[in-house]
Amino acid sequence: MSSAPQGISYLDGIRLNRCLCASFERLISAQDQLNKINVFPVPDGDTGTNLAATADSIGVCIQQLDTRHAGELLIQVADAALDGARGNSGAIIAQFFQGLADSCEDKSRLLPADFVEGFQAGADYARSAIADPKHGTILTLIDEVAIKLTEYHQQNPDRGFISLLQHTLKRARIALAETQQQLEVLRQAGVVDAGAKGFMLLIEGISNFLSRGSLREVPVPRTDPGAVDALTGFESHEGDIDHRYCTECLIHGEHIDHRKLRERLSPLGSSMIIAGTPRKSKIHIHVDEPAAVFEIAGSYGELTGRKADDMHQQAHAVSSGNRRYAVITDSAADLPDTAMEDYDIHVVPVRVQFGNASYLDKVGMTHQQFFQELKTNPELPKTSQPAPGDYRRMYDFLCSHFEHVFCISLTAKLSGTWQAARNAAERARKPEAITLIDSRSASLGQGLIALHAAECIAAGLEQAEITQSIEAIRERTRTFALITDLSYAVRGGRVHPAVHQLARLLGIHPILHAPGNGKVGPGGFIFSGKGRLKRFIRYLSRQLDPDTRYRIGVAHADNKAAAIEVHDELLRLNTNIVDSYITDLGAALGAHVGPDTVGMAAQEDTPMPTDKKNPDN
C-alpha cells in the first residue's frame, strides 16, 4: 500500500469517506475490549457493542456513496448515525456528527480550518444533547480534542491534517487517561471511560489512515492489536443501577421541540440524551417504565427503532464470570421474570401493533394493558418477529462476554422469528459462537425449553451436550391452551368463521395443543358452561403419564384466578409434578387466543446427562 503524502491539505467526499471507513473498522475491532471496561453510567458491559452498531450503521450507508462533496457526505453520515445510534455513547456520537454536518454542509472540500470549526460545532452539539453532563466521560474527551485542534491550528495555520491530528492526539491520550481519576466509579474499577476510549479510537483511526493508508484505496477491514492491548484484562464491575431499562426510540415529525420533550421525559429516569433535528430526533433514557417514554415520544410524531434493554440482566450477566455460555429466547416464550433473572435468560421482544401504535412485547406495555387494549380496541393487534438488528445486537453483546450463545426461538412453522434469528446470526461478528435451535413450541413450552437450556449451562455441560439435551427435550415438552372465545382467532385469520359458528352451536371450547413437533393445532374440546375449568383440569391430568415426573407451567390471559385453580388442582391430582410455576400469557399467543385463556405446558423431568458442578445430584 502506498504511503500517503505528508501534507494533506484537504479532504473531499471520497477521501473523507475512506478515512471514516478506516476509523469505524478500528472501533468495531475493539468492541469486546470496550465492553469489558464499561462501568459508567451503568456497568452493563455493552458500550463496545453499542458503538460498533452505531459505526456499522454509518459504514453501511457511506460505503454505497461516491459523492465528492464532503458536506453532502457528512449530512448522510449524521442521518445514518441518528438512525443507528445505540446507547449513551452512540447517541452522543450521533449528535456530534450532526453538529459537524451542520457546520460543514456547504463545503465540498474540508480544509483544516473547516474541520476544526466543524469539530467544535460537533462538541457543542454533543454537550447540548445531555441533560446532566458528567466530567470524565466521552464529552470530556470530545471537548479536549476540540480545544487542542483549535489551539494547534491557530498556532500552525499552514499545517495539514496529518500534523493537526497527530499533535492533537498527544493531548487527547492524556485526557483519556485522566478520566480514570475524574469519576469515582472509574477510579475504583481501574479503567478509563469506555465511551471516551471509543471516541479516541475513531480519531486514531482517521489519523493512522491519513498517515499510513492510501487515499486512493478503500481501507480493508483489519484489527490493530496495538489499539486494544491496553484494554485487555479489564473486567466489568457491578454497581448501582438506578433504573432498569435502557430505552431508545427515533421520532419522525415536524417541529419537534427538544426543550419541551426533555421537560416531559426528565421525571421518568436518568442518563437522558436527545439528539437530532426538529424533524428527526433520537431519544435515549434509562427508565423503569419504557411504555411511558414511548407514549410521550409518540405525541411528537411517528416512532421507529424502539428498544428497551434490561440493564439489570446485562449487568448480572457480565458479572457472572463463572458461566461460559448464555441463552437467548424471544418474548413468545412465557416464563416468570424470576426464572429469567435467576438463569440469565436474555429476551428479544416480539413487536406488537395496534393500528398505528407499535409496542415491544412485555416491555412497551404490561400484561394487563395488552389484554385491556385487546378487549376495547376495534383493531386486532398484529404481532411480528423481532428485527434482525435486535438479535444481532444481542448476539454481539453476549458473544463479547461468553464463549457460546444458544438461541431458542418460537417454532418456525408459526412465525418468521426463527428466520430473523438465523439471518442475524449469519451477520453477527462471531457466527460460529451461536447455536440457533427451533423450540418447535410456543408460549409456555418454549419457555420451559429455554429454562432447560439454562439449567444445562448451570450444570456445567459442554456445548455439544447442551445442544443434544435441548433437541431431545423438545419432544418431551407439550403445551395446551383452553380457548373460551374463538372470535380473536377468527379476526386474526387463524380460524375459519364457520368453525367458530359450529363451536358456538355445539357449545364447546377447543383446546389448542403443541405436541413438540413444531405444529400447533386442535387437541380436543370440552363443553362450555359451568364446570368447564374443572373439565379442562381433568383433560390435562389425562395427558400426564402417572409413571413420569413432570415440570409444569401455567399461564393466563388476564385471568389469574383461573390459572391458580388449574395449577393447584393439577398439583393435588398429580403427585408426579415435581416443579411448577404460574406466569402471564404473552402477546405473541395472547393476540390470537384472546382474554381469559388458560394454558399449561408439561415437560418430562429428564435428568441431565451429567451434572459436573454437582456430581452428587
Side-chain angles (χ1 to χ4, degrees):
M1 184 175 289
S2 61
S3 298
Q6 293 301 305
I8 296 174
S9 59
Y10 73 89
L11 296 176
D12 62 7
I14 300 296
R15 289 182 171 186
L16 183 58
N17 191 324
R18 291 168 182 170
C19 286
L20 290 173
C21 285
S23 177
F24 296 149
E25 289 297 343
R26 186 174 180 84
L27 173 60
I28 291 170
S29 72
Q31 63 178 290
D32 289 354
Q33 291 78 13
L34 292 174
N35 282 342
K36 291 179 180 179
I37 64 168
N38 171 208
V39 298
F40 182 84
V42 291
D44 52 356
D46 66 351
T47 290
T49 301
N50 288 334
L51 284 175
T54 306
D56 187 59
S57 177
I58 305 171
V60 168
C61 171
I62 65 176
Q63 285 172 8
Q64 313 301 318
L65 302 176
D66 59 0
T67 177
R68 291 188 173 276
H69 194 288
E72 291 177 357
L73 175 70
L74 286 173
I75 291 172
Q76 295 296 320
V77 167
D79 195 57
L82 201 60
D83 286 340
R86 295 289 183 271
N88 281 62
S89 297
I92 291 170
I93 285 178
Q95 187 70 344
F96 168 81
F97 277 121
Q98 189 67 56
L100 181 61
D102 284 354
S103 175
C104 301
E105 62 182 349
D106 61 342
K107 308 291 185 182
S108 61
R109 290 183 170 187
L110 295 187
L111 303 178
D114 302 322
F115 180 77
V116 170
E117 183 179 347
F119 200 102
Q120 183 61 61
D124 294 340
Y125 272 48
R127 185 163 288 277
S128 70
I130 313 298
D132 184 23
K134 303 291 185 183
H135 195 55
T137 65
I138 183 175
L139 286 176
T140 304
L141 187 72
I142 293 174
D143 286 341
E144 288 290 340
V145 172
I147 292 170
K148 190 60 182 177
L149 283 171
T150 301
E151 289 178 353
Y152 184 80
H153 181 67
Q154 288 176 346
Q155 297 167 5
N156 305 274
D158 297 329
R159 304 303 294 269
F161 277 96
I162 293 177
S163 296
L164 176 66
L165 290 173
Q166 287 180 344
H167 283 80
T168 298
L169 278 171
K170 293 178 182 178
R171 172 56 197 155
R173 292 189 180 102
I174 296 173
L176 176 64
E178 289 174 347
T179 64
Q180 184 173 332
Q181 303 303 321
Q182 291 166 345
L183 280 173
E184 179 62 19
V185 65
L186 299 180
R187 188 191 66 77
Q188 291 179 357
V191 298
V192 298
D193 181 67
K197 178 65 181 180
F199 191 80
M200 170 69 79
L201 291 172
L202 289 176
I203 304 302
E204 286 180 344
I206 294 174
S207 178
N208 289 352
F209 182 71
L210 289 174
S211 301
R212 301 194 290 269
S214 170
L215 293 177
R216 295 183 177 86
E217 298 177 14
V218 177
V220 177
R222 61 188 176 87
T223 299
D224 184 349
V228 299
D229 278 352
L231 302 176
T232 303
F234 289 121
E235 296 296 336
S236 296
H237 296 254
E238 287 192 85
D240 294 332
I241 299 178
D242 294 330
H243 299 94
R244 180 161 188 166
Y245 293 100
C246 176
T247 305
E248 295 178 351
C249 62
L250 195 62
I251 308 174
H252 304 264
E254 297 288 340
H255 311 298
I256 302 170
D257 189 324
H258 285 194
R259 181 184 62 80
K260 291 183 178 179
L261 182 58
R262 191 186 305 278
E263 289 174 354
R264 295 180 66 185
L265 291 175
S266 289
L268 300 181
S270 59
S271 297
M272 180 171 60
I273 301 172
I274 299 179
T277 69
R279 299 187 65 180
K280 182 191 283 189
S281 298
K282 182 83 173 189
I283 293 175
H284 169 281
I285 187 170
H286 295 172
V287 297
D288 290 323
E289 298 293 340
V293 176
F294 299 144
E295 182 178 357
I296 291 173
S299 67
Y300 288 83
E302 180 184 353
L303 298 189
T304 61
R306 293 174 178 84
K307 177 184 80 71
D309 289 340
D310 189 335
M311 296 184 294
H312 284 184
Q313 189 176 50
Q314 287 181 333
H316 189 262
V318 168
S319 64
S320 300
N322 60 327
R323 293 184 180 174
R324 297 166 56 196
Y325 308 124
V327 175
I328 301 174
T329 191
D330 53 81
S331 64
D334 290 324
L335 269 176
D337 290 343
T338 52
M340 296 282 194
E341 294 168 2
D342 290 345
Y343 284 94
D344 282 333
I345 299 173
H346 299 263
V347 180
V348 179
V350 170
R351 307 291 170 130
V352 182
Q353 187 97 16
F354 277 100
N356 293 325
S358 180
Y359 305 91
L360 297 177
D361 183 26
K362 300 180 181 177
V363 177
M365 63 192 320
T366 66
H367 169 80
Q368 291 78 13
Q369 288 171 335
F370 170 77
F371 283 104
Q372 182 60 34
E373 189 74 15
L374 186 62
K375 293 175 184 177
T376 59
N377 196 320
E379 295 217 37
L380 191 70
K382 297 179 180 179
T383 58
S384 60
Q385 68 266 22
D390 293 345
Y391 272 112
R392 187 179 175 188
R393 283 190 306 104
M394 187 72 80
Y395 289 149
D396 288 347
F397 164 69
L398 291 175
C399 285
S400 71
H401 296 287
F402 296 89
E403 292 180 23
H404 202 84
V405 173
F406 295 89
C407 180
I408 314 299
S409 80
L410 174 63
T411 173
K413 293 185 178 181
L414 278 186
S415 167
T417 299
W418 182 86
Q419 189 62 50
R422 178 184 178 182
N423 292 343
E426 291 173 349
R427 295 183 57 211
R429 290 181 59 247
K430 300 177 181 178
E432 72 284 356
I434 301 166
T435 295
L436 175 60
I437 298 177
D438 181 350
S439 72
R440 298 181 183 172
S441 189
S443 183
L444 289 161
Q446 181 185 348
L448 285 174
I449 293 167
L451 182 59
H452 178 81
E455 288 174 335
C456 289
I457 293 172
L461 273 63
E462 294 298 327
Q463 179 184 331
E465 295 173 314
I466 295 170
T467 301
Q468 183 179 11
S469 186
I470 297 171
E471 291 176 344
I473 203 67
R474 294 181 301 186
E475 299 177 357
R476 300 184 177 94
T477 305
R478 302 170 66 195
T479 306
F480 306 87
L482 174 63
I483 304 177
T484 58
D485 186 351
L486 275 174
S487 64
Y488 294 94
V490 171
R491 290 166 60 194
R494 299 278 180 175
V495 172
H496 194 280
V499 175
H500 183 206
Q501 293 173 359
L502 181 62
R504 293 180 62 184
L505 181 65
L506 297 176
I508 59 175
H509 294 309
I511 296 173
L512 210 60
H513 180 212
N517 61 2
K519 298 180 180 179
V520 178
F525 66 88
I526 62 171
F527 287 103
S528 58
K530 188 176 181 180
R532 66 187 180 191
L533 202 58
K534 294 187 183 302
R535 289 191 284 274
F536 180 52
I537 294 169
R538 290 196 295 270
Y539 169 89
L540 293 175
S541 290
R542 291 195 298 271
Q543 310 307 312
L544 303 179
D545 183 345
D547 296 325
T548 302
R549 289 155 51 97
Y550 292 96
R551 168 165 55 190
I552 70 166
V554 177
H556 65 94
D558 202 22
N559 191 2
K560 190 172 184 178
I564 293 173
E565 182 177 347
V566 170
H567 173 271
D568 292 353
E569 275 297 292
L570 284 174
L571 263 62
R572 186 182 68 82
L573 295 171
N574 301 273
T575 57
N576 54 335
I577 296 175
V578 296
D579 190 18
S580 64
Y581 64 81
I582 299 175
T583 191
D584 300 329
L585 189 69
L589 183 60
H592 305 292
V593 298
D596 297 329
T597 294
V598 180
M600 186 276 282
Q603 184 178 81
E604 294 181 19
D605 185 48
T606 306
M608 297 291 171
T610 178
D611 191 336
K612 298 180 179 180
K613 292 186 178 180
N614 301 287
D616 294 333
N617 287 350

